[in-house]
Amino acid sequence: MIVKFFQHDIRQGLVKYIGRYILAVLIGAIACGMVDQAGEYFWQWYGQNLSIWEYGLNLFQGQSPFSFTGDSSFGVPMTWFMLYLCLLFCVGDYIRQDMHGFGMYMMVKSRKRSIWWCSKCAWCICVNLLYFTCAWLGTLAYAWARYGEISFRDHITLANMIYGTDFIGVGASDMLVNLLVLPLMVGIIQSLLQMILTVQYSSSAGMVVVFMMLVVSSYYGSRYLPHGYAMITRFFSSDGADALSVRFGLLYLTIWIIALWVIGYIIVRKKDVFGRE
């Protein structure tokens, strides 16, 4: 039964809206163009193009938290912000439409709301996998179109200039987790929260709450704000006092995902899908 639910979600909630994921491709490509324009001197000095990993570092670079002492300038990380804002659009209102459409018929027929919710959670993971894959494809497409090749070189000097000396000691495994795993986990958490609020209240409520989370995470640095773990900059600081931990992040975000799955199940189980409340 769960296979039928999942096949339905893939057809109606993902394939049907596949055009939306062009946004992720565009964001990935535009972010590469912006960093190339800002770092034109790098090409002139070294005669080398940036690697795909360095483009990824730019995509998920984020911004250091706002300093209330006025000692440093602050700018909203627009590339990062738009990446997660467009994810809101890709998740959209599908779960609410399905709950009051064909999904309601499937729930009544199977008498298993747990299967319906588990299928939606699996769909949520697929949405995020496709979304971030498209963002990386945009990065790859830009690098190939601009230079005719895709570089995997590491330019330690450049990374050191941007992130500080602490960056030199970061292992390859931790960096891959920073680039590929943590941003995906944050996206899944954001999407699950949006889905829960959409079911319980409305799609507008889900989008507003997640938007506010993005704003707060842009300005404030805390190990308890999930979105901070999708910003590379937040893992490095001049004194190390406010730096996030990769290992704690993996555990903390996993707890978030499990907790949201349970909360969503409880809400769906009690929800009156016939609209009698």
Side-chain angles (χ1 to χ4, degrees):
M1 181 60 70
I2 191 171
V3 174
K4 292 182 179 179
F5 273 77
F6 184 65
Q7 288 175 342
H8 165 74
D9 288 329
I10 294 299
R11 286 195 305 268
Q12 298 300 317
L14 198 153
V15 176
K16 185 178 179 180
Y17 301 106
I18 198 71
R20 296 180 178 182
Y21 296 88
I22 295 176
L23 291 171
V25 177
L26 292 176
I27 291 173
I30 291 172
C32 292
M34 292 173 64
V35 73
D36 262 357
Q37 184 177 10
E40 187 71 25
Y41 65 90
F42 183 78
W43 171 263
Q44 295 174 354
W45 287 359
Y46 294 94
Q48 298 176 353
N49 54 294
L50 298 178
S51 72
I52 190 64
W53 305 120
E54 286 156 346
Y55 281 129
L57 286 172
N58 171 69
L59 187 62
F60 296 106
Q61 178 178 350
Q63 176 69 34
S64 298
F66 178 75
S67 175
F68 292 93
T69 61
D71 295 335
S72 60
S73 59
F74 176 84
V76 176
M78 290 307 300
T79 299
W80 177 90
F81 197 93
M82 289 303 299
L83 184 67
Y84 281 92
L85 190 64
C86 287
L87 179 59
L88 276 174
F89 178 63
C90 289
V91 173
D93 193 35
Y94 167 69
I95 189 171
R96 188 171 184 86
Q97 293 175 2
D98 190 66
M99 171 170 273
H100 297 288
F102 188 70
M104 180 177 66
Y105 164 76
M106 296 180 71
M107 273 192 286
V108 172
K109 184 178 180 180
S110 66
R111 299 181 181 180
K112 293 288 186 180
R113 295 190 180 202
S114 59
I115 295 179
W116 183 87
W117 176 244
C118 287
S119 177
K120 292 299 180 291
C121 291
W123 166 80
C124 169
I125 294 173
C126 289
V127 166
N128 277 270
L129 283 170
L130 177 60
Y131 182 79
F132 287 104
T133 297
C134 286
W136 280 101
L137 286 175
T139 302
L140 290 168
Y142 175 89
W144 184 264
R146 174 74 187 270
Y147 301 107
E149 66 173 356
I150 298 174
S151 172
F152 293 92
R153 303 185 192 93
D154 289 327
H155 299 104
I156 299 300
T157 302
L158 178 64
N160 181 32
M161 289 170 57
I162 299 174
Y163 300 103
T165 55
D166 291 340
F167 185 85
I168 297 178
V170 179
S173 60
D174 279 353
M175 188 51 57
L176 287 176
V177 171
N178 276 124
L179 288 173
L180 302 177
V181 180
L182 292 178
L184 175 64
M185 294 179 73
V186 170
I188 292 172
I189 290 171
Q190 173 182 305
S191 301
L192 285 173
L193 181 60
Q194 180 185 352
M195 288 162 55
I196 290 171
L197 292 171
T198 298
V199 168
Q200 183 66 9
Y201 301 105
S202 66
S203 58
S204 298
M207 291 183 178
V208 168
V209 170
V210 172
F211 179 82
M212 292 306 300
M213 286 184 67
L214 289 172
V215 173
V216 171
S217 298
S218 296
Y219 280 86
Y220 295 92
S222 170
R223 67 189 307 203
Y224 300 110
L225 290 173
H227 282 88
Y229 291 95
M231 298 189 197
I232 303 294
T233 303
R234 299 291 173 90
F235 290 86
F236 310 102
S237 62
S238 57
D239 56 5
D242 301 322
L244 300 180
S245 165
V246 171
R247 286 162 182 78
F248 177 82
L250 287 171
L251 175 62
Y252 182 62
L253 297 181
T254 300
I255 293 173
W256 259 92
I257 292 173
I258 295 173
L260 289 173
W261 181 89
V262 173
I263 293 171
Y265 170 70
I266 294 172
I267 291 175
V268 169
R269 187 177 179 182
K270 295 181 178 180
K271 187 72 174 177
D272 182 2
V273 297
F274 298 101
R276 294 191 296 258
E277 28 181 35

